[in-house]
Amino acid sequence: MKQEKQDKKELIFDALEELMVTVPYAEISVEAIAKKAGIGKGSIYYYFKSKDEILYEVIERSYRRITRDYFETIRNLPEMSAIEKIKRLFISTVKKEFSKTERNMLTELHILDDRDIHYKMKTIAIQEISPILTELLKEGVDEGSIRTQTPRESAEIIVAVMTLFLDETIFTDSPESVLNKLKILSNVLETCLCTEKGSFDFLFEPRTFS
Amino acid sequence: MKQEKQDKKELIFDALEELMVTVPYAEISVEAIAKKAGIGKGSIYYYFKSKDEILYEVIERSYRRITRDYFETIRNLPEMSAIEKIKRLFISTVKKEFSKTERNMLTELHILDDRDIHYKMKTIAIQEISPILTELLKEGVDEGSIRTQTPRESAEIIVAVMTLFLDETIFTDSPESVLNKLKILSNVLETCLCTEKGSFDFLFEPRTFS
DNA sequence: CTTAATTTCGACCGGTAGTCGAAATTTGTC
DNA sequence: GACAAATTTCGACTACCGGTCGAAATTAAG
């Protein structure tokens, strides 16, 4: 009953996701989605209130997948120190490793043009990744390698800043500027978390993201 | 010749801006804009490629106005120290003082619902305000109250972070969390700019933003 | 088997962004 | 001033889209 309804929704999600690989959302008609999903246009509105609702839920689904991947990846590295794990988290975020694992992902090139989606994705990303980092910060506090009394708040700020950094639409910088900013950032992180000097130097070491 | 063309565009900008005070952009038809501007619909497309182009340029115009205001306000306070000026900049940004000066402003309540606009505004805001802060940082460096080798990059990071902070759609926090974050932030700023301890305490002092 | 409830459908509606060719206006030239 | 060329204006028209709706099909219940 409830499951079948969810399955149908999933079918519609898949259709939209697939179309979005080649066509921007704004140019995809509800009829096209229905056709791709192999159902009638009217049925779409039986499951969703509006076209935008489909989009929003598709994005949410994608990000939940990404988050789940993050969690699993990091959980499966128990021999590492918290800071080492954080390093891994940053690197995989920057490199957008997830786009390899998750094939039908919204983060694919074409989509990035769409401002509306871009914004929503960022919001969700921040909301989803912060809890992971919060956990890692707490781990670090327990280990003694990190010191903060407000891990959640620190995590949210850090994720927000990191995300902003990746937004090339705002900062279209020279490589030199990027390097300068990464140096500032590593400094900020050290201060923010009272870690040992050099803990976040990997951010601006050239080989990190190659 | 060229000037008259710009005047006509300005007329269309005014029309859209005025309509946006009461109706969200998505619900404003090109015909309505034309009517408000007192011209034919077809003429709109003589001056603009698309409806969105009008919007984008309107937003740009608004922000240039705001920026000009910021510049002037701060320039007209020569007796202050750089840090004092920065304080003023932060406070006026947070309080959105500009919405009083600029009446027909896009920043008005109604608009903020629109995600697309919201995103664009933020982008432009960051691009526009950063140069001002950069100037102030350089001033501070000359004064000796601030130390940084990369004022431009520092400014951009700071503005980006501050802007993010104001985005209640992402962080709907408890007052306590907000306070914690502001404390982190002031700490980050001090570190980032090597200022005297307590320089940015005003950020979390209760009376600052009342 | 019959009836009720759920699910599917595509024709249809109101409304939109953008086009187009003709008309009006301005500019340039003698 | 007259004529032609170039620029600017216009609103009817096109093509299409999101969302509605009532009827039809399918499934579940008694």
Side-chain angles (χ1 to χ4, degrees):
Chain A
M1 194 78 120
K2 190 114 177 267
Q3 187 52 44
E4 280 162 26
K5 212 159 182 171
Q6 187 55 40
D7 286 349
K8 262 287 163 51
K9 287 181 92 173
E10 222 71 38
L11 201 73
I12 295 166
F13 290 151
D14 291 340
L16 178 56
E17 220 174 42
E18 223 172 303
L19 288 170
M20 289 215 299
V21 173
T22 50
V23 187
Y25 171 71
E27 286 170 29
I28 299 172
S29 68
V30 174
E31 207 168 359
I33 300 171
K35 203 169 168 186
K36 190 77 167 184
I39 61 174
K41 182 183 168 186
S43 304
I44 297 268
Y45 287 90
Y46 180 75
Y47 295 100
F48 297 94
K49 261 181 62 241
S50 70
K51 185 192 170 191
D52 281 352
E53 198 180 277
I54 312 175
L55 174 67
Y56 201 84
E57 292 192 23
V58 155
I59 292 171
E60 226 175 323
R61 188 182 72 159
S62 293
Y63 263 104
R64 305 247 176 266
R65 282 190 199 153
I66 294 172
T67 318
R68 217 175 303 132
D69 281 359
Y70 273 145
F71 261 121
E72 258 170 57
T73 307
I74 288 167
R75 281 279 149 79
N76 290 338
L77 304 165
E79 75 283 357
M80 283 176 163
S81 70
I83 289 189
E84 196 65 28
K85 284 182 188 172
I86 291 171
K87 180 175 169 180
R88 287 290 286 252
L89 179 64
F90 285 172
I91 293 175
S92 63
T93 308
V94 172
K95 287 177 73 177
K96 291 174 183 150
E97 266 178 6
F98 51 74
S99 65
K100 289 176 205 156
T101 355
E102 287 275 335
R103 243 177 311 108
N104 268 358
M105 203 44 52
L106 291 169
T107 10
E108 233 43 48
L109 302 166
H110 311 274
I111 310 305
L112 294 171
D113 288 340
D114 192 307
R115 285 242 163 66
D116 199 27
I117 299 187
H118 203 244
Y119 179 81
K120 286 178 188 161
M121 288 174 91
K122 207 156 74 181
T123 306
I124 296 175
I126 291 177
Q127 287 170 346
E128 296 288 309
I129 297 174
S130 296
I132 303 177
L133 185 58
T134 305
E135 282 308 303
L136 292 180
L137 293 189
K138 282 179 185 166
E139 241 180 271
V141 170
D142 291 343
E143 277 177 17
S145 56
I146 289 172
R147 208 169 68 233
T148 174
Q149 287 175 343
T150 54
R152 195 175 60 77
E153 287 87 348
S154 300
E156 287 185 5
I157 290 179
I158 291 169
V159 171
V161 175
M162 293 297 287
T163 310
L164 248 163
F165 253 78
L166 302 178
D167 196 338
E168 295 106 332
T169 63
I170 293 177
F171 299 120
T172 50
D173 277 350
S174 66
E176 197 195 339
S177 283
V178 172
L179 195 69
N180 284 334
K181 282 182 185 170
L182 287 172
K183 280 180 183 169
I184 296 172
L185 194 64
S186 74
N187 185 13
V188 166
L189 288 174
E190 278 169 21
T191 314
C192 214
L193 304 175
C194 303
T195 58
E196 234 171 78
K197 190 124 192 66
S199 295
F200 296 99
D201 283 0
F202 68 87
L203 282 171
F204 55 84
E205 275 161 5
R207 292 191 306 114
T208 305
F209 300 108
S210 63
Chain B
M1 195 73 120
K2 189 112 178 270
Q3 187 51 43
E4 280 163 25
K5 211 159 184 173
Q6 187 55 39
D7 287 348
K8 262 286 164 53
K9 286 181 91 172
E10 223 71 40
L11 200 73
I12 295 166
F13 290 151
D14 290 340
L16 177 56
E17 220 173 42
E18 222 172 304
L19 288 170
M20 290 217 297
V21 173
T22 50
V23 187
Y25 170 71
E27 286 170 29
I28 299 171
S29 69
V30 174
E31 206 167 0
I33 300 170
K35 204 170 169 187
K36 190 78 169 184
I39 61 174
K41 182 182 166 186
S43 304
I44 297 268
Y45 288 89
Y46 181 75
Y47 294 100
F48 298 94
K49 259 181 62 241
S50 70
K51 186 191 169 192
D52 281 352
E53 197 179 278
I54 311 175
L55 174 68
Y56 200 85
E57 291 191 24
V58 156
I59 292 172
E60 224 174 324
R61 188 181 74 159
S62 293
Y63 262 104
R64 306 244 176 267
R65 280 191 201 152
I66 294 173
T67 318
R68 217 173 305 132
D69 281 357
Y70 274 145
F71 262 120
E72 256 171 57
T73 307
I74 288 168
R75 281 279 149 80
N76 290 338
L77 304 166
E79 75 283 359
M80 284 178 165
S81 71
I83 288 189
E84 198 63 31
K85 284 182 189 172
I86 291 171
K87 180 175 168 177
R88 289 290 287 253
L89 179 65
F90 285 173
I91 293 175
S92 64
T93 309
V94 171
K95 288 177 75 176
K96 289 172 183 149
E97 267 177 5
F98 50 77
S99 64
K100 289 176 204 157
T101 356
E102 285 276 335
R103 244 177 310 106
N104 270 356
M105 201 42 54
L106 292 168
T107 10
E108 229 46 47
L109 301 166
H110 311 276
I111 311 305
L112 294 172
D113 288 340
D114 193 307
R115 285 243 164 65
D116 199 26
I117 298 186
H118 203 243
Y119 179 82
K120 285 180 189 161
M121 289 174 89
K122 207 156 75 181
T123 307
I124 295 174
I126 291 177
Q127 287 170 346
E128 296 288 311
I129 297 174
S130 295
I132 303 177
L133 185 58
T134 305
E135 282 307 305
L136 292 180
L137 293 189
K138 283 181 185 164
E139 241 179 271
V141 170
D142 291 344
E143 279 177 15
S145 56
I146 289 173
R147 207 168 71 234
T148 174
Q149 287 175 342
T150 53
R152 194 175 60 79
E153 287 88 348
S154 300
E156 288 185 5
I157 291 179
I158 291 168
V159 172
V161 175
M162 294 298 286
T163 311
L164 247 164
F165 252 78
L166 302 179
D167 196 337
E168 295 107 331
T169 62
I170 293 179
F171 300 118
T172 50
D173 277 351
S174 68
E176 198 196 339
S177 283
V178 172
L179 195 70
N180 283 335
K181 282 184 185 170
L182 286 171
K183 281 182 183 168
I184 296 172
L185 197 63
S186 74
N187 186 12
V188 166
L189 287 174
E190 279 169 20
T191 315
C192 212
L193 304 175
C194 304
T195 58
E196 230 170 83
K197 192 124 192 64
S199 297
F200 297 99
D201 282 1
F202 69 86
L203 282 171
F204 56 85
E205 275 161 6
R207 293 191 307 111
T208 306
F209 301 108
S210 64

